[in-house]
Amino acid sequence: MTWRSPLALVRDALQGQRARERELRNLVSNLPYEGLEKAKQPNRFFPSNGIKTTKYSLLLFLPMNLYEQFHRMANLYFVGLAILNFIPVVNAFQPEVALIPICVIMLLTALKDGWEDFRRYQSDRKVNNTPCFIYSRREKQYVERRWKDVRVGDFVRVISNEIVPADLLLLYSSDPNGVCHIETANLDGETNLKQRTAVSGLCTSNLGFEPESFNAVVVCERPNNNLNHFKCFIEKPDKDKVGASIESLLLRGCTVRNTNHAVGFVVYAGHETKSMLNNNGSRYKRSKLERKLNVDVFFCLILLLTMCLIGALGHYIWLESLPGVPPFLVPDSNGHLDDPSLASFYMFFTMIILLQILIPISLYVSIELVKIGQIFFITNDIDLYDEETDSRVQCRALNITEDLGQIEYIFSDKTGTLTENKMVFRRCSIMGTEYPHKENAIRLDDLEELESEEEVIFNHHQQLPRTRWSLEAEGISPADTHRHGTRRKSKMAVIAQSDAAFSSPLETEVIPDQKLLQQISRAESGGGHRDSNRNFDPHLDFFLALAICNTVVVSMANAHRERVCTSPHSSQMNNPLEAFSNLVKKAGAFFQHKSKRNRTLSEDQVIDSAKTAKTENGVDTNGLQTCSLHPLPQSGSPTAEAEDLCYEAESPDEAALVYAARAYGFILLARTPDSVTVRLPSGEELVFEVLDTLKFDSNRKRMSILVRHPVTKDYVLYTKGADYSIMELLGTPYAENFSGTEKNIAADTQHHLDCYAKEGLRTLCITKKVVSERTYQSWLGERKRAQAAMECREELIMETAVQLETNLTLLGATGIEDRLQENVPDTIVALREAGIHVWVLTGDKPETAVNIGYACRLLEEEDLVINMSCKDKLTCTSILDCILEEVRRYREDPRNVGTTQNISLVIDENTLVMAMSPDLQDRFIDLTKHCRSVLCCRVTPLQKSRVVKLVREKLKVMTLAVGDGANDVNMIQAADVGIGISGQEGMQAVMASDFAISRFKHLKKLILVHGHWCYTRLANMIIYFFYKNVAYVNLLFWYQFFCGFTATTMIDYWLLIFFNLFFTSTPPILFGIFDKDVSGEVLQGVPELYRTGQGKGEYNFLTFWISILDAFYQSLVCFFIPYLAYQDSDIDIFTFGTPINTVALFTILLHLAIEIKSWTVVHWIIMLGSVALYFIVTLAYSAVCVTCNPPSNPYWILQNQMADPMFYLICTLSTVVALLPRYTFHVLKNSVAPSPLLQGRQLDQMDPSTKDQWIKEWRGFRGGAPVKRYELSDPPSPTQKTPVDFFPESLTDADFMGDDLSLNVITENRQRVVHT
């Protein structure tokens, strides 16, 4: 290595910084520079692939850890006092002893930090030494290296089931179509396969990619943490530019699947990769309790300074009152005595040292230990464990568990959060004709009590007399199919299928509608005009659009992905009995059907228990010709059977539509970047050339695919999307240029869409457009320029998509059901009874959202449901003013005293935007304060976060947001507590959350039980800590009045330190971990008990100062009863202090015993153990300490005291008198005005039957007086069976504002539309 001057090193460092900060990077291959020194490497300014997540090094651990710990003001405070104690003129006791408490605390913290950092070091070393293959020009082949050896500009080859070591630009794939399948579960939790396409035009050789021939320049954007976007282009030597996007980027941490090998060019390495930029570590939030704690610490500091000031003034007055110089005032070496003013100044600092524990040094450590214990019990709660997903609750933010007990507002997503996110195809409308799929509805009704992921065997022949269905299920005899509703759990099958998302039988099985099946059959067998009819028949085009207008990846069902680390079954085979049981069942099924089937089961393959239904060609007994939905492949063209296909979809909607098309015989067989293959019901296979895919985005609300028809060679654009985004692209449905048929189709389809929405179905519109050759070529040029642009690429690409998606031809619409999760209504009702306002923020249209709102009991029948929908700000203002005036009148009406309004608000996107404007947001928030439920429709992810921030900042309330998808991340991060649901949309929400659950129903116990426990335990423990320290410090303070305020102590300083460090430290920690004021059963049965923690809660200004005053009283008793008992005696100072110390111990521990609500064996052991430890340590110390603290020594003090009956009398009398007021207060309070929590504890003591009866009666009287209806709230609200009708059938002349305003009041027996 050559020597370089410092100036050259500085110059290189500055150049490297500039290179890394440029918006665009020019990267070239490292191969021509292989073997040269680093200074000649073109990509030397970019970091290597080695990662370092540790914070410390071995040499710098101590100074860096101390530096971090001194960022805590409490540590600085105690270290400063310890250093101050080394100054002779202000020291209170031996300086070395004063260092012990803070050193112990900081040592424990350092050990914890060091252990965590060592684990990070081990993880880094394992990752950095993972092997990979890098191309070497010297050896003319890929050689094995380590991940840490990868550099930007290298060529890396990855093989199947291997993890990608860095961010690679895909240049070559072993797949003939240049496709590489990856699994991004390590990044976002999504297990469905994703396609990545090699950059076109770079690999011209048939033998594969040759890295040495790559002489282009890769121009890419500066690294960022956006996993869904990547801007790049490759500039060839001839200056030709080829654009590349995220579709050609293999991200570090992804796993290559179903691809033999692939070659990529390293664009980002190490800490610049997208996965590392997203790795922010543990989230840190300050809880509301912690913020309140800091305020009270400040009050304690003021109290400490006040007491020290009193001590300084008292010392000055005492010195001034002395007639001469007493012998106990020792002058300095020069024989000089400080004057009283200077001595009192020094005494001020001495008093600070003496009374320093008024600020509880061990409180912060105790809080951390308590939270660790609380998290342990939360994560190990069996009720929060989900057996189907084998997941339990995760606590990702370790310091806000108590915030769960103070929630006042909950903001929830709908899809995947309240619902299963398992999309089931229910109905469709084609060319204005509605097909209800009644047979499929009957099948779904039979699945009401089926657990998700369980397999069910059905007999469909009774519902389908005209269609011949055959069932082939492993382990099912034909006789079994005659038992309607026969069901069998098959956990092993579920595990095997878990690799493919959205593939449960509930989603994949669709029974065709007979009328639609006949229509398709007629279109398919249209005689001589068969080809022409197929291409223009809208029914065929409709299902072709369902089959190809998506991004679904097709793979073989029996080609299960290999796992590198563990078997996919390993998590389910921990129980030997369960493993043996499954083995026996599998063997029994195999032998039972060995003679019936000529098929072989591989060891790692599990056959689905319910196959997709089939029909056969021919004519049935009723004379109706039926088509074969799954015909055999034609001879000579062997193709995979439909049953062997597995669909990997990125969203459940796409999977549902593909499976629906498959049920009608339009089977998606294969998909490549350039083509998509579909088998028709007739058995013919069509290969469509894919010209472009216009992917879905949140602005357009739709996606399109542009293909070349294999028969007509037309350019056809199929589009699907939200109804409101599609209908406007058809032009005005009632425009004069539409024919009568087109008018009817658009109007009828819109009517069907409204009906679907009222039933709670998710709706999509399907369209088609034939594009001319000239239009396509013109559009293609603009599209390529947009894809190669580095500035505003997304905007330009979206503009080209919008340009093509015009003048669409409507084919039809679909209605997909997303079922509610289990126990969602019960959970929402419990949360509302707990005093929590529940908001649902959804992107669905209002009709769908309202129906779901009633189904999940977000909206109740007795509610006054206000539907706000307006088009201008003036109207929105008038609505808000009108409603607020009505609310004010209601409250001022003397007839409504003691009653509450059940108001719920439904608001759409446009109205919400206007209501959240700066001049209206105060009125909007004022209105929502009176609403117990709010339903926001058509909201975007950004609007969700804005709503949460607005409510949190305006109302100063504790908010919680819960969601399951990437579109909920902003909302989750904006709330005080974010909860992610690990559903079917990946793990983005989980990774951004503070807590992760697997089902919405778990929210009930997490908040109402664990949240309540965590808050009450921690709040009571903190109050107790303040009381304990103030009570003990005041003993020293009262003694100053009798020693001239000289900071003398009547207790040995070792016992002073041990008192807080050992004798009284463990009981409050156990109190904060184990105490239960009310059982979990009662807390869930009576949710109103949760209200005790909301708002100010139990830890507030009043309870804090009452505890401080009680501490002052108890310290007075503990000091002056022994003082009066030993008055005028000749005992020494430690003989006087030992009973005081003992009384303080008994009083403080028995005070805690009064506060403990549920005693366990652990409590008894710790309490008795603390007393025993005190006497053992004190007796031992008194026995061995002969000259520890001259001239007064504690030698044999306690032994002598314990031989004196006066000692026991003092301890008993002082303890009783000190605790009598608090005990009396508790007795009177619990007898005269028992709190709800006390009544809950009384319920716990009843037998189960009596307890259930009391809970029912209690809940029957919840809310005080009966709820009085609002005068407009006499109609019944629509339920799931009686859909909401938002618009009246006819409007009168008075409805002149109908176009601008729709304010609907949905009530109990009828519906009225009120215009203001």
Side-chain angles (χ1 to χ4, degrees):
M1 181 176 179
T2 58
W3 180 88
R4 303 189 66 196
S5 66
L7 186 61
L9 295 176
V10 172
R11 184 177 64 250
D12 281 355
L14 293 176
Q15 289 178 354
Q17 183 178 0
R18 286 194 296 267
R20 289 188 293 271
E21 292 179 352
R22 289 194 189 103
E23 292 299 324
L24 296 179
R25 294 183 173 183
N26 295 331
L27 309 177
V28 298
S29 170
N30 289 334
L31 295 181
Y33 309 92
E34 183 177 343
L36 299 181
E37 60 183 8
K38 184 177 180 180
K40 297 181 181 180
Q41 297 287 338
N43 303 313
R44 65 184 181 277
F45 299 125
F46 307 117
S48 66
N49 201 45
I51 62 170
K52 179 179 179 292
T53 60
T54 56
K55 294 191 297 183
Y56 312 108
S57 63
L58 192 60
L59 294 178
L60 299 179
F61 171 75
L62 188 60
M64 291 182 64
N65 187 259
L66 290 176
Y67 176 78
E68 279 195 356
Q69 292 201 52
F70 285 148
H71 275 72
R72 281 190 174 183
M73 294 303 297
N75 290 342
L76 280 178
Y77 166 78
F78 288 108
V79 170
L81 292 183
I83 295 175
L84 189 66
N85 198 48
F86 278 88
I87 302 176
V89 293
V90 297
N91 69 336
F93 34 78
Q94 290 186 9
E96 298 81 5
V97 177
L99 284 173
I100 292 177
I102 185 62
C103 288
V104 170
I105 298 299
M106 297 184 69
L107 177 63
L108 292 176
T109 305
L111 290 175
K112 176 182 72 72
D113 294 341
W115 172 250
E116 292 177 352
D117 207 57
F118 178 71
R119 294 180 63 186
R120 285 191 290 266
Y121 164 75
Q122 289 181 315
S123 175
D124 291 346
R125 186 174 62 177
K126 180 179 179 181
V127 170
N128 289 332
N129 288 286
T130 303
C132 64
F133 292 96
I134 305 174
Y135 188 83
S136 171
R137 191 180 66 166
R138 291 179 177 176
E139 302 188 25
K140 303 295 182 180
Q141 63 179 352
Y142 291 94
V143 295
E144 183 173 326
R145 294 285 187 267
R146 305 296 173 186
W147 275 26
K148 62 183 179 182
D149 301 325
V150 175
R151 301 289 185 271
V152 172
D154 284 345
F155 294 92
V156 177
R157 187 178 73 171
V158 288
I159 61 177
S160 181
N161 300 313
E162 189 175 72
I163 300 177
V164 179
D167 288 355
L168 307 179
L169 184 65
L170 183 60
L171 302 180
Y172 170 77
S173 172
S174 59
D175 185 89
N177 301 294
V179 173
C180 177
H181 296 91
I182 62 171
E183 181 185 273
T184 60
N186 292 337
L187 297 182
D188 53 23
E190 296 183 8
T191 57
N192 53 288
L193 294 184
K194 296 180 176 63
Q195 282 189 354
R196 292 295 181 260
T197 309
V199 180
S200 60
L202 296 179
C203 182
T204 57
S205 172
N206 295 329
L207 300 178
F209 178 73
E210 298 177 1
E212 294 187 42
S213 64
F214 184 85
N215 52 5
V217 178
V218 177
V219 181
C220 63
E221 64 180 343
R222 186 174 162 185
N224 57 69
N225 62 354
N226 193 329
L227 296 173
N228 300 315
H229 293 282
F230 174 64
K231 298 177 182 178
C232 174
F233 69 83
I234 298 178
E235 186 175 355
K236 299 180 180 179
D238 58 0
K239 302 302 181 182
D240 184 22
K241 296 181 179 179
V242 180
S245 66
I246 193 67
E247 298 301 319
S248 300
L249 188 67
L250 304 182
L251 298 178
R252 175 188 173 118
C254 296
T255 306
V256 177
R257 302 290 190 195
N258 298 0
T259 305
N260 187 23
H261 66 274
V263 177
F265 178 85
V266 180
V267 291
Y268 305 128
H271 289 280
E272 288 190 339
T273 58
K274 290 181 178 291
S275 62
M276 293 301 297
L277 292 175
N278 276 277
N279 185 15
N280 297 322
S282 301
R283 294 167 52 79
Y284 180 81
K285 286 185 177 181
R286 291 179 61 196
S287 66
K288 182 179 179 181
L289 200 65
E290 185 179 348
R291 295 193 294 268
K292 179 69 173 63
L293 169 64
N294 291 337
V295 174
D296 289 339
V297 169
F298 179 73
F299 285 145
C300 286
L301 182 61
I302 294 177
L303 182 61
L304 172 65
L305 296 178
T306 303
M307 295 169 66
C308 294
L309 183 61
I310 293 174
L313 292 175
H315 187 62
Y316 174 80
I317 295 173
W318 178 71
L319 290 176
E320 287 288 342
S321 64
L322 292 177
V325 179
F328 50 80
L329 291 180
V330 182
D332 58 16
S333 58
N334 297 324
H336 173 70
L337 280 175
D338 296 327
D339 60 75
S341 58
L342 182 61
S344 62
F345 175 76
Y346 289 152
M347 188 54 60
F348 176 81
F349 294 100
T350 304
M351 293 291 290
I352 291 180
I353 298 173
L354 178 67
L355 307 178
Q356 61 178 299
I357 58 172
L358 187 66
I359 310 297
I361 183 175
S362 57
L363 175 58
Y364 294 98
V365 177
S366 300
I367 289 176
E368 295 296 327
L369 294 176
V370 167
K371 289 183 177 181
I372 291 174
Q374 292 176 346
I375 290 172
F376 173 81
F377 287 117
I378 292 176
T379 55
N380 288 277
D381 189 340
I382 191 64
D383 293 334
L384 300 181
Y385 170 76
D386 185 65
E387 184 180 2
E388 296 171 5
T389 58
D390 191 23
S391 61
R392 58 185 180 180
V393 62
Q394 302 176 35
C395 298
R396 300 176 57 82
L398 306 181
N399 52 340
I400 60 170
T401 53
E402 65 273 21
D403 279 348
L404 291 171
Q406 298 181 279
I407 301 300
E408 297 172 74
Y409 279 76
I410 288 181
F411 301 87
S412 174
D413 178 39
K414 182 186 75 69
T415 303
T417 304
L418 301 179
T419 61
E420 290 280 3
N421 203 19
K422 290 186 177 181
M423 305 302 175
V424 181
F425 185 86
R426 290 300 301 262
R427 316 177 74 143
C428 68
S429 172
I430 303 177
M431 299 305 291
T433 303
E434 208 271 333
Y435 300 96
H437 289 72
K438 296 180 180 179
E439 296 87 352
N440 197 49
I442 294 174
R443 179 187 73 89
L444 294 174
D445 289 339
D446 294 336
L447 287 171
E448 285 184 355
E449 298 182 4
L450 175 68
E451 295 179 357
S452 60
E453 306 289 339
E454 288 183 353
E455 301 212 357
V456 181
I457 303 146
F458 299 98
N459 175 20
H460 296 303
H461 74 278
Q462 297 178 359
Q463 289 84 15
L464 297 175
R466 297 189 176 189
T467 308
R468 291 189 295 273
W469 298 81
S470 62
L471 289 169
E472 292 183 352
E474 199 66 36
I476 302 299
S477 65
D480 294 336
T481 63
H482 295 283
R483 295 196 298 269
H484 180 68
T486 301
R487 55 190 61 178
R488 177 178 64 93
K489 292 184 179 181
S490 181
K491 292 291 183 183
M492 295 295 293
V494 172
I495 298 165
Q497 290 180 351
S498 63
D499 286 338
F502 324 119
S503 58
S504 69
L506 185 70
E507 301 166 283
T508 59
E509 296 178 0
V510 178
I511 301 179
D513 184 271
Q514 292 300 297
K515 181 180 177 183
L516 182 55
L517 202 62
Q518 296 176 28
Q519 185 68 38
I520 293 176
S521 179
R522 285 194 292 268
E524 272 290 311
S525 57
H529 301 85
R530 182 179 171 215
D531 289 342
S532 176
N533 288 339
R534 179 193 300 121
N535 296 322
F536 294 99
D537 188 280
H539 298 82
L540 303 184
D541 269 328
F542 177 83
F543 284 105
L544 279 176
L546 296 188
I548 69 175
C549 188
N550 50 64
T551 57
V552 173
V553 177
V554 184
S555 61
M556 298 300 293
N558 57 359
H560 295 295
R561 307 176 202 173
E562 299 176 18
R563 299 293 182 184
V564 178
C565 299
T566 59
S567 167
H569 311 293
S570 60
S571 61
Q572 300 291 331
M573 287 302 174
N574 295 331
N575 188 343
L577 293 178
E578 183 179 354
F580 179 75
S581 175
N582 282 283
L583 182 62
V584 171
K585 290 180 181 178
K586 184 183 294 187
F590 174 79
F591 288 111
Q592 180 180 354
H593 299 279
K594 184 176 180 181
S595 60
K596 298 181 181 180
R597 300 209 178 111
N598 184 19
R599 58 196 311 176
T600 304
L601 288 174
S602 61
E603 292 180 358
D604 62 342
Q605 179 183 10
V606 182
I607 306 298
D608 294 346
S609 60
K611 291 290 185 180
T612 305
K614 299 179 182 180
T615 59
E616 301 174 359
N617 289 327
V619 180
D620 66 4
T621 57
N622 295 317
L624 173 66
Q625 183 175 356
T626 59
C627 64
S628 172
L629 297 185
H630 305 291
L632 293 174
Q634 300 175 1
S635 59
S637 58
T639 312
E641 287 294 330
E643 293 86 348
D644 296 331
L645 297 177
C646 180
Y647 296 137
E648 307 267 2
E650 295 187 15
S651 74
D653 300 80
E654 287 191 341
L657 296 180
V658 170
Y659 284 116
R662 171 175 168 167
Y664 282 94
F666 295 82
I667 305 171
L668 177 63
L669 294 179
R671 179 183 299 277
T672 69
D674 302 322
S675 67
V676 56
T677 305
V678 179
R679 180 187 296 168
L680 300 182
S682 62
E684 182 181 357
E685 295 180 4
L686 295 181
V687 180
F688 293 84
E689 180 186 355
V690 177
L691 303 175
D692 210 331
T693 301
L694 314 181
K695 293 197 171 182
F696 175 89
D697 62 68
S698 58
N699 295 317
R700 290 167 41 246
K701 299 286 187 182
R702 58 185 179 271
M703 77 155 292
S704 301
I705 184 169
L706 182 63
V707 298
R708 185 195 293 270
H709 200 284
V711 178
T712 64
K713 306 303 180 182
D714 289 337
Y715 298 100
V716 182
L717 180 75
Y718 290 108
T719 304
K720 69 175 180 183
D723 52 354
Y724 64 91
S725 69
I726 294 292
M727 286 298 185
E728 62 186 11
L729 301 179
L730 306 176
T732 305
Y734 307 101
E736 301 199 359
N737 59 336
F738 274 63
S739 66
T741 303
E742 290 174 320
K743 286 183 182 180
N744 293 336
I745 291 174
D748 292 344
T749 303
Q750 185 62 58
H751 174 70
H752 297 153
L753 288 168
D754 294 338
C755 293
Y756 293 170
K758 292 173 184 178
E759 293 181 7
L761 303 182
R762 297 165 61 91
T763 58
L764 285 175
C765 285
I766 312 298
T767 65
K768 171 188 176 182
K769 176 183 179 180
V770 178
V771 182
S772 66
E773 173 83 20
R774 180 178 178 182
T775 303
Y776 168 70
Q777 294 299 334
S778 174
W779 176 85
L780 182 60
E782 296 183 12
R783 183 74 170 179
K784 288 184 176 181
R785 285 191 292 271
Q787 291 174 337
M790 293 299 295
E791 299 293 335
C792 305
R793 175 185 291 186
E794 286 77 14
E795 291 79 1
L796 293 175
I797 289 178
M798 188 178 72
E799 288 178 5
T800 59
V802 172
Q803 178 183 349
L804 194 62
E805 294 169 334
T806 57
N807 300 321
L808 305 178
T809 301
L810 182 64
L811 295 176
T814 61
I816 298 176
E817 180 185 22
D818 187 9
R819 294 191 165 190
L820 285 178
Q821 292 185 21
E822 182 185 4
N823 293 336
V824 167
D826 176 65
T827 302
I828 290 181
V829 169
L831 293 175
R832 297 208 310 185
E833 290 176 358
I836 299 175
H837 298 258
V838 182
W839 291 42
V840 172
L841 312 177
T842 178
D844 289 339
K845 58 194 305 182
E847 294 87 346
T848 304
V850 167
N851 189 279
I852 295 295
Y854 280 107
C856 69
R857 297 191 66 182
L858 179 74
L859 308 176
E860 295 279 11
E861 294 185 1
E862 66 269 14
D863 287 357
L864 170 70
V865 181
I866 302 173
N867 177 26
M868 286 183 61
S869 177
C870 50
K871 296 182 180 179
D872 60 77
K873 199 169 186 178
L874 181 62
T875 307
C876 183
T877 305
S878 64
I879 290 179
L880 293 174
D881 292 339
C882 174
I883 300 175
L884 289 173
E885 179 63 22
E886 289 294 326
V887 172
R888 185 187 62 79
R889 289 178 185 175
Y890 180 91
R891 291 179 175 272
E892 293 178 355
D893 191 338
R895 297 172 298 174
N896 298 327
V897 175
T899 65
T900 57
Q901 288 174 291
N902 292 339
I903 301 178
S904 296
L905 176 66
V906 180
I907 186 169
D908 63 12
E909 175 190 13
N910 295 329
T911 310
L912 181 64
V913 171
M914 291 182 281
M916 291 176 62
S917 59
D919 53 334
L920 292 182
Q921 59 184 217
D922 289 333
R923 303 180 202 181
F924 173 65
I925 291 298
D926 193 21
L927 170 61
T928 59
K929 283 195 300 185
H930 303 290
C931 301
R932 65 176 188 174
S933 300
V934 177
L935 185 57
C936 302
C937 312
R938 297 293 197 195
V939 291
T940 63
L942 184 60
Q943 286 175 327
K944 290 182 179 181
S945 63
R946 287 188 58 202
V947 168
V948 175
K949 291 178 182 177
L950 181 66
V951 173
R952 189 187 67 184
E953 294 171 359
K954 289 290 184 180
L955 298 182
K956 307 299 181 183
V957 293
M958 290 294 295
T959 58
L960 180 146
V962 54
D964 73 314
N967 59 334
D968 302 318
V969 169
N970 292 334
M971 175 180 70
I972 288 173
Q973 292 179 336
D976 294 290
V977 179
I979 294 186
I981 293 184
S982 53
Q984 301 202 67
E985 290 192 11
M987 299 291 285
Q988 296 97 322
V990 169
M991 291 188 293
S993 66
D994 304 309
F995 300 89
I997 57 179
S998 55
R999 291 288 184 269
F1000 184 82
K1001 66 178 181 180
H1002 294 161
L1003 205 61
K1004 179 180 178 181
K1005 187 170 186 182
L1006 180 64
I1007 292 178
L1008 300 186
V1009 178
H1010 289 290
H1012 173 82
W1013 283 345
C1014 290
Y1015 172 71
T1016 55
R1017 289 166 174 171
L1018 208 54
N1020 291 329
M1021 189 201 75
I1022 291 174
I1023 293 174
Y1024 175 78
F1025 249 99
F1026 281 117
Y1027 146 80
K1028 175 173 72 77
N1029 284 34
V1030 171
Y1032 194 67
V1033 164
N1034 278 344
L1035 297 176
L1036 306 178
F1037 181 68
W1038 302 137
Y1039 184 68
Q1040 302 310 306
F1041 287 88
F1042 301 92
C1043 67
F1045 296 94
T1046 55
T1048 306
T1049 64
M1050 69 290 190
I1051 304 172
D1052 185 85
Y1053 49 76
W1054 281 103
L1055 297 180
L1056 279 175
I1057 293 174
F1058 288 164
F1059 191 91
N1060 276 311
L1061 202 59
F1062 299 117
F1063 302 152
T1064 61
S1065 60
T1066 308
I1069 293 177
L1070 272 297
F1071 172 62
I1073 295 177
F1074 290 103
D1075 193 46
K1076 290 183 182 179
D1077 53 354
V1078 185
S1079 68
E1081 181 184 358
V1082 173
L1083 286 173
Q1084 293 186 85
V1086 188
E1088 288 84 353
L1089 297 177
Y1090 181 82
R1091 299 172 187 248
T1092 58
Q1094 293 175 329
K1096 294 181 179 179
E1098 296 184 5
Y1099 178 32
N1100 51 53
F1101 182 85
L1102 184 62
T1103 56
F1104 171 76
W1105 284 109
I1106 287 178
S1107 296
I1108 298 298
L1109 293 176
D1110 192 22
F1112 269 86
Y1113 164 76
Q1114 293 184 18
S1115 64
L1116 284 169
V1117 172
C1118 294
F1119 178 83
F1120 281 100
I1121 288 182
Y1123 171 77
L1124 295 174
Y1126 290 113
Q1127 192 175 18
D1128 298 330
S1129 66
D1130 59 352
I1131 61 172
D1132 66 283
I1133 185 173
F1134 286 157
T1135 303
F1136 170 65
T1138 300
I1140 294 177
N1141 203 31
T1142 308
V1143 168
L1145 177 76
F1146 284 130
T1147 303
I1148 288 173
L1149 291 181
L1150 289 177
H1151 179 105
L1152 179 62
I1154 294 175
E1155 299 299 324
I1156 293 176
K1157 307 302 187 302
S1158 59
W1159 283 84
T1160 64
V1161 177
V1162 176
H1163 289 90
W1164 284 104
I1165 293 176
I1166 294 301
M1167 296 290 278
L1168 297 177
S1170 296
V1171 175
L1173 181 65
Y1174 168 77
F1175 281 99
I1176 292 173
V1177 171
T1178 307
L1179 287 171
Y1181 180 71
S1182 300
V1184 300
C1185 188
V1186 179
T1187 57
C1188 295
N1189 192 11
S1192 298
N1193 289 294
Y1195 181 72
W1196 218 250
I1197 294 294
L1198 185 58
Q1199 285 83 342
N1200 294 330
Q1201 287 281 333
M1202 294 181 68
D1204 185 5
M1206 180 67 72
F1207 173 78
Y1208 299 99
L1209 179 62
I1210 291 174
C1211 291
T1212 303
L1213 182 62
S1214 301
T1215 303
V1216 171
V1217 175
L1219 295 175
L1220 188 60
R1222 171 165 289 270
Y1223 183 77
T1224 304
F1225 171 76
H1226 277 283
V1227 170
L1228 293 177
K1229 175 186 173 184
N1230 296 339
S1231 302
V1232 177
S1235 66
L1237 291 176
L1238 176 64
Q1239 298 177 33
R1241 288 198 295 274
Q1242 293 172 350
L1243 286 178
D1244 284 329
Q1245 299 173 1
M1246 300 179 181
D1247 59 88
S1249 59
T1250 308
K1251 181 194 300 185
D1252 293 340
Q1253 183 65 28
W1254 271 91
I1255 289 177
K1256 290 179 182 178
E1257 293 181 5
W1258 193 341
R1259 298 187 66 175
F1261 288 104
R1262 65 180 179 268
V1267 176
K1268 187 171 183 177
R1269 300 280 199 273
Y1270 189 58
E1271 57 183 7
L1272 291 178
S1273 60
D1274 43 343
S1277 65
T1279 62
Q1280 196 170 6
K1281 297 181 179 179
T1282 59
V1284 181
D1285 187 6
F1286 270 77
F1287 303 99
E1289 295 180 0
S1290 61
L1291 294 174
T1292 64
D1293 294 338
D1295 301 325
F1296 58 91
M1297 296 179 66
D1299 292 336
D1300 299 325
L1301 162 65
S1302 175
L1303 172 59
N1304 303 337
V1305 180
I1306 305 174
T1307 47
E1308 194 171 349
N1309 298 317
R1310 55 190 160 90
Q1311 171 184 307
R1312 295 173 58 184
V1313 181
V1314 180
H1315 298 290
T1316 56

